[in-house]
Amino acid sequence: MHYFDEYCEVHLDPDIAPYNWVFRSQEKISITFGVHVSKHPDFGQVVYELNDGKGYCDIDRITTQTEGIIENGFKMFSVILPPIGNGGGYQYRVGYIDIDGVEHISEISHFLFVCDEAPRSMREIPSVFLGMVNNHHVYGPKPSVPMTSSPKNWNSRLFYSIMIDRFARSKHPIRSRLSLVNYDLSCPHSSHGGTIAGVTEHLDYLKSLGIRVIILSPVYVNAPDGYHGYHPIHLLMIDPRLGTIHSLRQLVKKAHELDIAIVLDVIVNHIADSINWPEYGGPPQGEFKYIQGDESAVMPFPIEARNTLLFHGPEYTDMVNQRLFGFLEDWRTETPYVRELLIQHLKYWIGETDIDGFRYDSARHVGLDFWEPCVEEISRYASVLGKKEFLQIAEHAGSTHEEVIEYNSAKFSGLIDYPTYYRVKHSLGDANWLSSLVDYFCGFLEPSHSYYAGWQNNIMFLDNQDTSRVFHEFLHRTHNRDQARIRVHFALACLILGPQTPSIYQGTEQEFDGALGWHEDENKPDSMGHDCYVREDMFDNPACTWKFGPINRKTFQPYNKNHPTFILIHKLAETRWQYKLIKNGRRTLLYENHKIRCVLIHDPAEKYSFLVAMNMGKDIFDFCFKPPHGYGDFTQLKILVVTSGEATKLSTGEIHLQLPAFAFVLAQVF
């Protein structure tokens, strides 16, 4: 029994709620609870809100049957909720009518979901022999949908990172309250109703921007504080507020029709805060909070995860085995049982959805004893399904290349390049000197140590869901949007036409300017930064004032394709896509003075080259130079990109350039 106030619940029966909180549509949803006889209950009732997931909602109450009085003085009641179809759910509270006819309703509510597709146990995912890859037998689930081969030209594509909850609400926002996750449009820490269907409805917007890879935030069912997707509580089910497995399949299918690949963010480091360890009131081996009576807790899925011995306790303090942020339950990934469970769950998402890659969250908090077999096995499984170029990128947020390169033996397809990002960001203190961006574009920031897949295959970014916006970095220093835009355009040109695989974050194209905020006074020694302030809604949401962070309200229409930054990103993305030389060509410095650099991107096998001229400072420069001997005669020059003002003339034997402040010019040279 679970006792709270005058009520009790039968809460450890795996066939009834709330221990089981995911039911099949053909299963009866049973609830059994009691009211202490001292409260003089006449009969019990359950008050519920029903949502069928298709737009129909109903609020009602149902009278229970009386089961009798148990020895500890509780009068027991039971009820079977009305049936509901696949994809729906209930939020309910128990209560009673006393002998005087007065209604009493508990303040504690529970969520129940109906989902026929999501396995509740790993045993529900059949693993069969699928073939041989490199002399290895490959086992795993048979695909549920046709498989599409993954792209071979990842490095030519512009990536776009999406946080589903904040990107787009569907035209029919009927799922927003169907979740364990708190929904509050006015709160930057809560769900705001973005859905997978909303992403699908805006694929044309992304295609127009020039996006050819979407990195999709995690889709798992999350704990109440997990609007972002990184606090999973069910590894095999899509959070109902985001959609269903069908809506994810539809997104992947329609994206593929537009030649857009989908990379799914996945989590193998942790699950949501679920366990009371000894120092927090639990027994020696820890105990799930639900079992100890935490009214907001649920038991995790799959059911194989319901063993505290599978997780590290708070006594572990090293980078790999500690509880992330001090509260997320850390998997014992060093054990074969946990490794197999997590790898099988990854195969499930590939076979069910036809995705093209994984972004592995919190990679540095998981040991190589997990990553080495995982990456190899996922590569084999994807390959046998026809996805020979399946992408596996790791989010290792190390500050130095040496830290990140320690993970070379995992053989990721690439890593998110935090060390290079930090190198660029830390140089932006003077907004009037952008040499670090030019150094990046020229390839001068490539480390001397080698990455497994090569530095060029790492993902480079200027902002993401965990960092302050690049527009904020310049606006904070210039206090002028026009001046900030000029610098951001220069930075975007260096990024998207740069030597690594480029990625942008939702809202960059609309000049979002949020920054990391603070839970409290940042001068306090125990204060913590908060990243919700860089997770602004792409859609209109006047209810949220973002009052806790340095965020300006948007001054533009949502999804504006005529925004100058949107237009520039499109031009840069299409240039990178059209001209393979941008990715593969050698970058040679032709001319340099204290504010100007001219770079030739060339390859002897090509009939053309690219000339790039960059003004790193705030002064206008007008100058001429002759290309060094040995690079041929430039007989024709075609301007492709100019980020600021007018530039460039070609005279016989020399190049004449007039570069406005922070101008980036790309020209095709014949």
Side-chain angles (χ1 to χ4, degrees):
M1 289 290 183
H2 170 200
Y3 298 94
F4 53 101
D5 297 330
E6 68 264 42
Y7 299 96
C8 71
E9 286 179 339
V10 176
H11 78 300
L12 292 181
D13 188 327
D15 295 323
I16 68 172
Y19 187 84
N20 181 23
W21 49 276
V22 181
F23 289 83
R24 306 288 190 234
S25 57
Q26 74 276 13
E27 294 175 338
K28 293 180 179 180
I29 303 177
S30 300
I31 301 170
T32 301
F33 68 98
V35 180
H36 200 271
V37 292
S38 64
K39 302 299 180 180
H40 308 294
D42 185 14
F43 58 88
Q45 64 177 2
V46 172
V47 177
Y48 65 82
E49 179 178 342
L50 174 154
N51 186 330
D52 73 350
K54 300 176 182 177
Y56 175 74
C57 296
D58 185 30
I59 299 176
D60 205 348
R61 49 187 23 82
I62 185 171
T63 301
T64 67
Q65 293 187 8
T66 302
E67 299 292 334
I69 299 176
I70 57 177
E71 60 184 18
N72 56 356
F74 281 83
K75 190 173 183 179
M76 302 302 295
F77 304 100
S78 66
V79 67
I80 296 176
L81 295 180
I84 187 173
N86 180 40
Y90 282 99
Q91 184 176 13
Y92 76 88
R93 292 183 293 161
V94 300
Y96 65 96
I97 306 295
D98 65 25
I99 58 176
D100 296 322
V102 179
E103 182 181 65
H104 304 264
I105 301 296
S106 171
E107 294 296 321
I108 300 172
S109 65
H110 296 291
F111 269 97
L112 303 173
F113 303 119
V114 176
C115 183
D116 292 340
E117 297 89 1
R120 292 178 292 198
S121 167
M122 299 304 296
R123 294 191 300 272
E124 297 177 32
I125 307 175
S127 184
V128 300
F129 175 69
L130 296 170
M132 300 284 292
V133 174
N134 297 329
N135 297 318
H136 286 85
H137 293 78
V138 180
Y139 293 86
K142 286 184 177 180
S144 298
V145 294
M147 292 288 106
T148 307
S149 59
S150 296
K152 296 181 179 180
N153 51 358
W154 289 106
N155 195 263
S156 295
R157 296 169 177 254
L158 177 58
F159 286 55
Y160 187 91
S161 182
I162 283 179
M163 181 160 286
I164 302 171
D165 184 75
R166 302 296 168 84
F167 179 71
R169 305 182 79 186
S170 173
K171 295 176 182 176
H172 309 286
I174 57 179
R175 310 192 66 88
S176 56
R177 298 184 184 274
L178 191 59
S179 179
L180 296 169
V181 176
N182 299 321
Y183 175 76
D184 184 348
L185 287 173
S186 67
C187 176
H189 310 280
S190 299
S191 170
H192 291 174
T195 63
I196 295 169
V199 179
T200 306
E201 291 165 11
H202 287 80
L203 284 175
D204 287 339
Y205 167 85
L206 295 172
K207 184 69 173 179
S208 298
L209 182 59
I211 303 305
R212 285 184 168 83
V213 182
I214 294 171
I215 302 178
L216 204 63
S217 61
V219 297
Y220 308 113
V221 180
N222 260 237
D225 58 350
Y227 73 90
H228 39 62
Y230 293 96
H231 296 171
I233 202 69
H234 191 329
L235 296 184
L236 303 174
M237 179 178 170
I238 292 177
D239 199 309
R241 71 192 165 93
L242 301 178
T244 64
I245 194 71
H246 174 73
S247 58
L248 182 55
R249 289 170 180 165
Q250 283 294 105
L251 168 61
V252 175
K253 181 176 182 293
K254 292 188 176 182
H256 286 169
E257 291 171 358
L258 295 172
D259 193 23
I260 298 175
I262 301 293
V263 173
L264 183 63
D265 204 338
V266 290
I267 304 165
V268 297
N269 175 67
H270 60 264
I271 64 170
D273 182 7
S274 305
I275 300 173
N276 273 332
W277 298 98
E279 62 188 81
Y280 306 123
Q285 298 293 345
E287 186 59 273
F288 283 101
K289 292 184 175 183
Y290 170 84
I291 293 176
Q292 288 202 308
D294 188 322
E295 61 190 46
S296 64
V298 297
M299 292 295 285
F301 281 106
I303 60 173
E304 288 83 358
R306 297 176 174 182
N307 185 335
T308 60
L309 295 178
L310 303 179
F311 301 93
H312 294 115
E315 68 273 16
Y316 291 88
T317 58
D318 59 294
M319 180 72 75
V320 169
N321 298 319
Q322 67 180 317
R323 301 167 83 219
L324 190 61
F325 307 126
F327 67 91
L328 296 172
E329 310 302 348
D330 190 79
W331 287 103
R332 290 183 180 268
T333 50
E334 71 273 20
T335 64
Y337 181 83
V338 170
R339 279 203 298 269
E340 180 64 19
L341 186 154
L342 294 175
I343 291 172
Q344 283 297 101
H345 117 275
L346 295 174
K347 291 179 179 179
Y348 168 80
W349 286 108
I350 300 173
E352 286 293 315
T353 63
D354 190 31
I355 52 173
D356 304 291
F358 286 136
R359 174 198 182 270
Y360 293 119
D361 181 64
S362 306
R364 68 170 169 172
H365 298 288
V366 181
L368 286 168
D369 53 358
F370 174 84
W371 286 127
E372 289 170 357
C374 172
V375 173
E376 187 175 30
E377 181 62 18
I378 291 302
S379 178
R380 286 196 290 257
Y381 176 72
S383 181
V384 84
L385 299 185
K387 293 178 172 290
K388 299 184 184 300
E389 304 294 331
F390 190 82
L391 195 70
Q392 299 187 73
I393 55 177
E395 186 229 13
H396 187 306
S399 58
T400 67
H401 289 291
E402 288 75 16
E403 288 179 74
V404 182
I405 288 171
E406 288 178 2
Y407 274 61
N408 266 357
S409 62
K411 299 182 179 179
F412 295 112
S413 310
L415 297 105
I416 298 175
D417 199 340
Y418 272 90
T420 301
Y421 161 77
Y422 288 134
R423 179 86 176 270
V424 170
K425 179 182 177 180
H426 292 161
S427 71
L428 299 182
D430 181 359
N432 295 320
W433 183 237
L434 305 184
S435 62
S436 65
L437 288 161
V438 176
D439 287 342
Y440 169 72
F441 176 83
C442 295
F444 297 163
L445 300 188
E446 181 174 4
S448 57
H449 301 87
S450 297
Y451 280 92
Y452 163 75
W455 181 69
Q456 286 77 8
N457 288 322
N458 284 352
I459 308 296
M460 181 55 181
F461 61 97
L462 293 174
D463 50 21
N464 65 22
Q465 65 205 38
D466 298 316
T467 66
S468 293
R469 298 271 186 181
V470 65
F471 201 93
H472 171 87
E473 298 291 345
F474 289 118
L475 184 60
H476 177 68
R477 292 164 174 81
T478 63
H479 306 289
N480 180 288
R481 293 196 76 89
D482 292 334
Q483 288 299 314
R485 179 180 300 120
I486 290 171
R487 291 158 174 80
V488 168
H489 284 193
F490 184 93
L492 287 169
C494 291
L495 170 73
I496 297 173
L497 301 181
Q500 292 181 293
T501 303
S503 180
I504 64 172
Y505 172 46
Q506 66 179 57
T508 298
E509 74 277 15
Q510 301 293 345
E511 291 184 2
F512 278 40
D513 58 7
L516 297 179
W518 297 89
H519 282 298
E520 50 191 326
D521 183 357
E522 60 185 286
N523 295 319
K524 292 182 179 180
D526 58 348
S527 65
M528 289 180 60
H530 204 295
D531 46 23
C532 71
Y533 309 123
V534 295
R535 298 170 179 183
E536 312 98 311
D537 300 319
M538 287 285 287
F539 46 87
D540 187 33
N541 178 17
C544 190
T545 61
W546 306 101
K547 63 182 179 180
F548 299 109
I551 293 175
N552 296 322
R553 294 297 296 160
K554 297 191 290 289
T555 57
F556 47 82
Q557 292 297 315
Y559 314 107
N560 180 7
K561 295 183 181 181
N562 295 317
H563 195 291
T565 302
F566 182 102
I567 293 170
L568 176 70
I569 291 174
H570 165 80
K571 184 182 296 184
L572 294 169
E574 290 305 304
T575 300
R576 184 179 186 93
W577 175 254
Q578 181 178 354
Y579 298 103
K580 303 302 183 281
L581 187 61
I582 297 291
K583 179 187 77 170
N584 300 322
R586 180 178 178 183
R587 299 180 182 223
T588 300
L589 187 63
L590 294 183
Y591 175 84
E592 178 181 25
N593 66 25
H594 64 293
K595 290 288 180 74
I596 301 295
R597 282 193 193 158
C598 293
V599 175
L600 189 69
I601 306 177
H602 57 106
D603 185 327
E606 297 289 348
K607 296 180 180 179
Y608 65 92
S609 301
F610 288 113
L611 175 68
V612 179
M614 295 166 282
N615 184 351
M616 296 177 282
K618 63 179 181 178
D619 299 318
I620 299 173
F621 272 83
D622 192 329
F623 67 101
C624 297
F625 78 97
K626 291 185 178 182
H629 180 72
Y631 290 99
D633 296 325
F634 294 171
T635 59
Q636 185 180 350
L637 185 147
K638 176 183 177 183
I639 302 294
L640 299 178
V641 176
V642 181
T643 64
S644 176
E646 303 270 339
T648 313
K649 296 177 183 177
L650 179 66
S651 304
T652 303
E654 67 179 11
I655 295 175
H656 176 203
L657 297 112
Q658 185 180 69
L659 296 182
F662 309 113
F664 180 106
V665 178
L666 173 73
Q668 190 177 19
V669 180
F670 299 91

